[in-house]
């Protein structure tokens, strides 16, 4: 009985052709989707002369990082010629606290809504959920007033507040749905053991949360980093996040349109979100499906 | 160690009354089992003792202390949950010591206490593992260890064995019994398994629809069930209920039934003379005779004082090892009899059965309550 029999399905001639066709279609689509990325990266590495003279799809003659350097530290955004660098750090200073804050608050709210059920908890959750469907534009005016009253208009802190508040609806939804799958008896046991609301959260609930934290962080980071509207509405000049600065950079033309600089700027701007996806992406899918596969 | 007193405990959710005034008085060191079907309020009562549910009305006292509004952690209780509720992110050692840590016990003492408990439960080699790396039985032990380590006044168990397989359940049942003997602690144990209740309890409280039906020792519950619900709940297979009418006989009272024997229905008069109740007012009225399967056995084996023998047709037999169950037909309904296994082969067709009427329970069919 040591004979190894492997299961090989019968291959007919037409099945082989179908398989080849499938591959061909997939390759065509892969090229189709990758083409814009190739053009952006390729153009960012070309000199202006080359762009004007050559084809859009031709490979750069040599790897020329001038456009990247220029976009990062020299390009003019409006009248100030500092490159994207200060705005990049603006965005970092905005995104990291805002992501942390909204994730932490979402976790805490989700925990309170599921494990400390109070009268009307579901109603509160429904109202919070409603926040997911409120478009950006609706909150701009009241938010501008609020920032004015608090006195943090045109600052990074203002944007941190805006994004934390707006993101709370989503993060609460994530954490609430994840915590529903954690058995209540854990909290009961810990209560009898003598742990309070925050101790249980810190010692038992948070250590079980990494999959959903990853989901929340990726979601929030992408939202906040890529946001243009809030950034453009609540900040001007030096306090702007990179997304707004890049837009201004592209729109600031002095004489010749520098396509290579525009492309490099776009890539610099997109780099952090790509980085977050690469680092945490596999946890992302795992976290999204965690509730459904947990035994 | 302490006594536990529950006085007129009521639990309401809105207009729904889950517990309708429960009175239980538990001596120091007693083992109480709350038995009932799901939804009878037994877990709610346990959670109220634990402090995980508020008490709508009434009083719960541990020792002389009223604990209605005392936080669970200050009640000096420990609880073992059905799902074990082990903290998945902590090692076994941390799981056990968590309660002590929350109470500010110094690390050295904590470690000593954990080791002692782990040794007692023979799991000192597991202390560095995570719950996910343990088998069901081991998890159960950790959950018990977590309760034991704090040396509480009262232990609460919420169906702790229902997630285990049959063999392990027997083992852990014995273990719990042994622990109770050793610690001599007050314990309250919730289950829907009547065998667990009978084997573990000093006293059993049977709940139905939020009311205690009977609170008594296992033997009393088994032999003198207070109503037909209790009689039907406890015992496997359950008590046979035979409907009849009380008649006056030369020696006292009887209940006539028809028994399928030799392929025909034969009238048989069950002798009720020995029953302690005065049945004079019941003559001519309907009655339910409750007989446990072991009260109907092969002729010549019954030792009771009021034994009567008659022939019965055997419908089906079920060998259970030690005994064989025979399905008979009385009054057109199935009646279970329990005979010694030696008779398993020879029984076919008709056989003489002895019925021990001194072990019969009589019920009023209207109220379903026990007579006498």
């Amino acid at each position: 009985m040591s004979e190894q029999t492997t299961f090989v399905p019968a291959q007919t001639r037409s099945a082989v052709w179908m398989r080849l066709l499938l591959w061909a279609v997939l390759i065509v689509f892969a090229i189709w989707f990758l083409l814009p990325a190739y053009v952006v990266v390729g153009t960012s590495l070309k000199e202006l002369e080359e762009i004007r003279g050559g084809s859009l799809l031709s490979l750069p003659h040599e790897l020329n990082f001038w456009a990247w350097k220029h976009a990062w530290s020299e390009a003019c955004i409006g009248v100030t010629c500092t490159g994207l660098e200060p705005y990049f750090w603006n965005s970092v200073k905005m995104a990291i606290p805002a992501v942390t804050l909204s994730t932490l608050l979402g976790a805490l709210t989700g925990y309170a809504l599921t494990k400390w059920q109070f009268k009307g908890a579901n109603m509160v959750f429904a109202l919070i959920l409603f926040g997911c469907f409120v478009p950006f534009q609706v909150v701009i005016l009241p938010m501008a007033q609020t920032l004015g009253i608090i006195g943090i208009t045109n600052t990074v802190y203002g944007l941190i507040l805006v994004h934390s508040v707006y993101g709370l609806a989503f993060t609460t939804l994530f954490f609430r749905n994840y915590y529903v799958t954690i058995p209540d008896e854990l909290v009961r046991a810990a209560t009898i053991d003598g742990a309070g609301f925050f101790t249980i959260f810190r010692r038992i609930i948070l250590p079980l949360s990494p999959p959903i934290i990853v989901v929340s962080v990726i979601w929030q980071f992408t939202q906040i980093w890529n946001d243009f509207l809030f950034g453009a509405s609540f900040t001007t000049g030096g306090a702007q996040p990179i997304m707004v600065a890049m837009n201004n950079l592209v729109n600031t033309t002095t004489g010749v349109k520098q396509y290579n600089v525009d492309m490099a700027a776009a890539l610099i701007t997109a780099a952090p979100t790509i980085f977050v996806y690469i680092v945490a992406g596999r946890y992302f899918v795992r976290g999204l499906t965690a509730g459904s596969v947990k035994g | 160690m302490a006594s536990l007193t529950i006085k007129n405990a009521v639990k309401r959710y809105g207009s729904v009354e889950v517990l309708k005034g429960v009175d239980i008085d538990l001596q120091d060191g007693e083992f109480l089992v709350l038995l009932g079907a799901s939804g009878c309020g037994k877990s709610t009562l346990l959670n109220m003792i634990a402090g995980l549910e508020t008490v709508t009305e009434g009083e719960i006292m541990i020792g002389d202390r009223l604990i209605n509004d005392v936080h669970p952690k200050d009640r000096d209780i420990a609880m073992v949950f059905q799902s074990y509720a082990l903290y998945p992110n902590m090692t076994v050692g941390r799981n056990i010591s968590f309660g002590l840590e929350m109470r500010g016990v110094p690390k050295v003492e904590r470690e000593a206490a954990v080791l002692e408990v782990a040794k007692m439960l023979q799991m000192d080699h597991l202390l560095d593992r995570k719950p996910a790396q343990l088998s069901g039985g081991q998890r159960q032990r950790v959950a018990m260890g977590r309760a034991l380590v704090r040396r509480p006044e009262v232990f609460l168990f919420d169906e702790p064995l229902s997630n285990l397989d049959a063999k392990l359940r027997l083992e852990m049942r014995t273990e719990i019994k042994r622990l109770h003997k050793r610690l001599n602690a007050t314990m309250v144990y919730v289950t829907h398994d009547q065998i667990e209740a009978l084997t573990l309890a000093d006293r059993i409280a049977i709940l139905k629809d939020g009311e205690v039906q009977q609170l008594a020792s296992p033997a009393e519950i088994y032999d003198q069930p207070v109503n037909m619900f209790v009689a039907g709940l406890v015992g496997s297979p359950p008590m046979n209920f035979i409907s009849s009418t009380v008649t006056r006989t030369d020696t006292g009272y009887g209940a006539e039934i028809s028994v399928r024997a030799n392929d025909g229905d034969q009238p048989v008069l069950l002798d009720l003379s020995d029953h302690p109740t005065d049945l004079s007012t019941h003559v001519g009225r309907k009655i339910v005779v409750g007989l446990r399967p072991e009260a109907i056995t092969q002729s010549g084996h019954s030792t009771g004082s009021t034994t009567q023998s008659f022939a019965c047709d055997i419908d089906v037999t079920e060998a259970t090892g030690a005994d064989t169950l025979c399905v008979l037909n009385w009054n057109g309904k199935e009646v279970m009899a329990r005979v010694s296994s030696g008779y398993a082969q020879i029984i076919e067709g008709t056989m003489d059965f002895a019925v021990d009427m001194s072990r019969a329970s009589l019920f009023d069919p209207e109220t379903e309550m026990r007579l006498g």
Side-chain angles (χ1 to χ4, degrees), chain B residues 343-362:
Chain B
Y343 285 76
Q345 284 82 31
I346 58 165
I347 43 182
E348 275 284 302
T350 309
M351 191 179 103
D352 275 353
F353 283 84
V355 179
D356 181 358
M357 285 308 290
S358 65
R359 289 161 78 180
S361 297
L362 301 183

Side-chain angles (χ1 to χ4, degrees), chain B residues 4-240:
Chain B
L4 174 72
T5 314
I6 301 166
K7 273 190 207 152
N8 192 33
V10 174
K11 179 68 188 178
R12 268 186 231 107
Y13 295 105
S15 60
V16 185
E17 205 162 50
V18 182
L19 284 182
K20 300 164 184 167
V22 171
D23 287 291
I24 292 172
D25 216 332
L26 208 55
Q27 299 297 309
D28 179 15
E30 216 176 345
F31 197 125
L32 173 78
V33 171
L34 301 175
L35 178 66
S38 55
C40 69
K42 58 191 193 298
S43 286
T44 308
L45 183 58
L46 195 75
N47 284 335
M48 280 159 72
I49 300 170
L52 298 169
E53 300 265 9
T54 54
V55 182
T56 314
E57 261 174 48
E59 290 180 351
I60 297 181
M61 294 169 77
I62 293 178
D64 301 329
R65 193 162 68 118
L66 182 70
I67 54 158
N68 279 27
D69 300 315
V70 175
H71 191 273
K73 71 172 195 286
D74 301 320
R75 290 188 179 200
D76 214 357
I77 47 137
M79 189 158 169
V80 177
F81 294 86
Q82 181 176 0
S83 68
Y84 319 137
L86 303 180
Y87 313 127
N89 53 310
M90 298 183 201
T91 61
V92 167
R94 294 299 288 273
N95 259 289
I96 296 174
S97 67
F98 188 71
L100 295 177
E101 194 189 331
M102 290 297 116
R103 281 169 175 73
V105 177
K107 196 163 184 228
V108 186
E109 280 175 45
R110 248 158 43 205
E111 280 170 357
V114 168
L115 206 63
E116 190 195 330
V117 165
K119 280 203 177 118
M120 182 153 73
L121 294 169
Q122 292 132 45
M123 54 174 196
D124 35 335
H125 57 295
L126 301 174
L127 288 178
D128 292 326
R129 297 216 196 148
K130 290 275 178 72
Q133 297 164 293
L134 302 179
S135 69
Q138 288 169 332
R139 286 179 205 185
Q140 179 63 60
R141 274 170 205 277
V142 178
M144 303 245 286
R146 197 166 60 179
L148 286 174
V149 76
R150 294 203 339 252
R151 307 213 161 278
E153 298 272 14
V154 179
F155 286 90
L156 307 175
F157 296 90
D158 190 3
E159 309 210 17
L161 304 184
S162 51
N163 284 356
L164 299 177
D165 63 50
K167 185 167 173 284
L168 214 48
R169 200 176 306 158
L170 275 179
E171 261 177 56
M172 291 308 292
R173 201 170 77 194
T174 316
E175 185 100 4
I176 292 175
K177 189 86 184 168
R178 192 176 294 133
L179 272 175
H180 177 243
K181 263 181 92 175
R182 178 171 173 170
L183 300 171
N184 208 17
T186 311
M187 294 184 173
V188 182
Y189 187 106
V190 162
T191 184
H192 62 261
D193 182 338
Q194 46 101 13
I195 309 257
E196 262 174 40
L198 290 173
T199 49
L200 287 171
D202 291 327
R203 277 196 296 163
I204 302 175
I206 294 184
L207 274 90
K208 184 195 174 197
D209 300 333
E211 281 175 303
V212 176
Q213 304 289 309
Q214 190 168 8
L215 172 60
S217 69
E220 195 182 333
I221 295 251
Y222 192 78
D223 292 331
Q224 288 155 3
V226 76
N227 58 30
M228 286 173 71
F229 173 78
V230 173
L233 185 73
V234 176
S236 173
M239 185 182 272
N240 299 302

Side-chain angles (χ1 to χ4, degrees), chain A:
Chain A
M1 291 299 280
S2 62
E3 205 172 305
Q4 187 96 25
T5 51
T6 46
F7 174 69
V8 183
Q11 294 262 337
T12 62
R13 193 167 285 265
S14 70
V16 174
W17 277 109
M18 283 306 290
R19 181 50 51 126
L20 283 176
L21 188 70
L22 182 71
W23 279 100
V25 169
L26 286 176
I27 288 166
V28 167
F29 274 104
I31 292 171
W32 180 261
F33 286 121
L34 284 173
L35 210 54
Y38 163 75
V39 170
V40 172
V41 174
T43 308
S44 76
L45 296 171
K46 289 175 186 172
E47 284 177 33
L48 262 185
E49 290 294 318
E50 203 183 332
I51 295 169
R52 251 180 269 133
S55 146
L56 198 63
L57 295 176
S58 63
L59 278 170
H61 295 316
E62 52 177 322
L63 291 184
N64 187 330
F65 288 98
W66 175 84
W68 286 74
K69 192 163 164 277
H70 189 75
W72 178 250
S73 56
E74 290 155 21
C76 294
I77 292 152
V79 287
T80 51
C81 294
T82 55
L84 287 175
E85 190 184 354
Y87 304 98
F88 180 88
W89 295 120
N90 277 351
S91 274
V92 170
K93 276 186 250 168
M94 165 188 76
I96 289 175
V99 169
T100 313
L101 205 62
S102 57
T103 299
L104 210 62
L105 284 175
L108 208 56
T109 319
Y111 162 64
L113 282 174
T114 50
K115 299 292 167 239
W116 298 79
Q117 282 274 340
F118 49 93
K119 240 189 198 136
N122 285 330
M123 191 64 203
V124 170
F125 177 61
L127 287 173
I128 292 176
L129 197 61
F130 188 65
C132 296
F133 303 106
V134 174
F136 272 27
Q137 289 81 349
V138 171
V139 298
I140 285 181
L141 258 182
M143 198 50 98
Q145 281 184 317
T146 309
L147 294 183
I149 291 165
I150 304 173
I152 50 175
T153 320
N154 200 23
T155 62
V156 166
Y157 304 110
L159 286 181
I160 292 172
L161 180 71
V162 173
H163 284 299
S164 299
V165 170
Y166 194 82
L168 199 55
F170 294 93
T171 54
T172 302
L173 171 70
F174 293 149
F175 281 99
R176 187 257 177 203
N177 287 351
Y178 183 76
Y179 289 155
V180 160
T181 65
I182 293 178
D184 291 347
E185 286 191 345
L186 276 186
V187 176
R188 288 160 170 255
T191 307
I192 290 177
D193 268 344
F197 181 86
F198 285 104
T199 313
I200 295 173
F201 180 62
R202 198 167 49 81
R203 296 285 303 272
I204 291 156
I205 301 294
L206 265 193
L208 297 175
S209 307
I212 202 67
I213 289 177
V214 169
V215 170
S216 174
V217 164
I218 290 189
W219 175 269
Q220 279 301 95
F221 188 83
T222 312
Q223 289 289 311
I224 295 170
W225 188 273
N226 288 349
D227 163 66
F228 178 79
L229 188 66
F230 284 155
S233 308
F234 301 133
T235 53
T236 52
Q240 285 171 341
I242 192 168
M243 208 49 70
V244 179
M246 185 200 68
N247 172 69
N248 294 349
L249 180 146
V250 174
N251 286 335
T252 309
T253 36
T254 46
V256 191
K257 188 102 179 118
Q258 292 177 309
Y259 287 110
N260 51 355
V261 175
D262 293 352
M263 300 297 176
L267 287 171
I268 289 171
T269 309
T273 43
I274 294 173
F275 174 76
V276 168
Y277 266 109
I278 290 169
V279 170
R282 63 200 178 99
Y283 297 104
F284 186 67
V285 179
R286 221 182 278 169
L288 280 181
T289 55
S292 55
V293 293
K294 214 166 182 176

